[in-house]
Amino acid sequence: GVTNLVSLLNYRASLFLVEHFHGLASVGTYSVAIQVAELLWLVSSAVTMSLYARIGAPDRAQAAFDTLRAVRFNVLVTVVAAPVLWALAAWAVPWVMGEAYTASLLPLAALLPGVAAYAAASSLSAFYTNHLGRPHLSGMVAGLSLGVSVLAGWWLIPAWGSLGAAVASTTGYLLAIVVGTHLFLREAGLPWQALWRQA
């Protein structure tokens, strides 16, 4: 439960900072950027759920193999889909919501790299929780992302507004996923090369 709360705060803390420094109008446009960016996680969540039981297998090698497959697929799909999603948003958001919401497109562009990389988090979390029985590792990764994004946001948002929030969030996501991947590889007894070598 605490892990889920930290994860939720991780995804939404930047909104509170934007509201604090720039008011509700900026929150409105930035929240659109967040909602659109997080569409990328629909695929990664579905993939992780479909492999959840296999990732939780008692056999460490099998669990690690399935986790790696899910991580690779999730990150590859989201990296490929991110520019397509941005192009669709550039057309659809002003048309559906009005020209004022074009202000969400630049923060969206800054959010997408971090959101794409963080697509690995759901599979890694399944490994920590369902295989290792250590959900606090997921909480630590989400807490690191939250801490980095809040600290960076406190520095960037006053000057850059929603763009600063997006850059801060992406920084938090990227750093946290590197640490989360390190934890997974350490627990699985795998080298970093395992991320890109099929064998």
Side-chain angles (χ1 to χ4, degrees):
V2 171
T3 295
N4 289 336
L5 179 61
V6 171
S7 295
L8 179 62
L9 286 172
N10 180 36
Y11 304 144
R12 296 293 177 261
S14 59
L15 279 173
F16 295 111
L17 290 176
V18 169
E19 191 275 332
H20 175 75
F21 288 112
H22 292 279
L24 289 175
S26 293
V27 169
T29 55
Y30 184 54
S31 66
V32 170
I34 291 174
Q35 293 298 325
V36 172
E38 289 178 358
L39 290 174
L40 291 178
W41 289 337
L42 293 176
V43 173
S44 64
S45 295
V47 169
T48 299
M49 289 307 297
S50 68
L51 288 172
Y52 197 77
R54 291 174 60 110
I55 290 172
D59 181 75
R60 180 68 50 96
Q62 185 62 51
F65 174 76
D66 287 321
T67 303
L68 274 175
R69 281 197 317 159
V71 165
R72 288 177 186 143
F73 182 81
N74 288 340
V75 173
L76 177 64
V77 167
T78 54
V79 165
V80 170
V84 176
L85 180 63
W86 189 89
L88 288 172
W91 167 75
V93 167
W95 181 62
V96 173
M97 304 190 73
E99 287 298 321
Y101 285 89
T102 56
S104 67
L105 296 176
L106 188 57
L108 174 60
L111 272 172
L112 287 173
V115 169
Y118 210 68
S122 62
S123 303
L124 297 176
S125 178
F127 181 83
Y128 306 146
T129 302
N130 202 24
H131 176 74
L132 295 178
R134 297 167 66 187
H136 64 279
L137 293 177
S138 298
M140 287 170 50
V141 170
L144 173 63
S145 179
L146 172 62
V148 170
S149 63
V150 167
L151 289 174
W154 199 267
W155 181 55
L156 294 173
I157 291 171
W160 291 8
S162 295
L163 178 59
V167 170
S169 293
T170 284
T171 303
Y173 290 150
L174 292 173
L175 183 59
I177 210 61
V178 168
V179 171
T181 302
H182 168 73
L183 290 174
F184 160 70
L185 293 172
R186 185 189 70 188
E187 295 295 333
L190 296 171
W192 277 94
Q193 295 91 321
L195 293 173
W196 57 86
R197 288 185 184 167
Q198 289 298 326

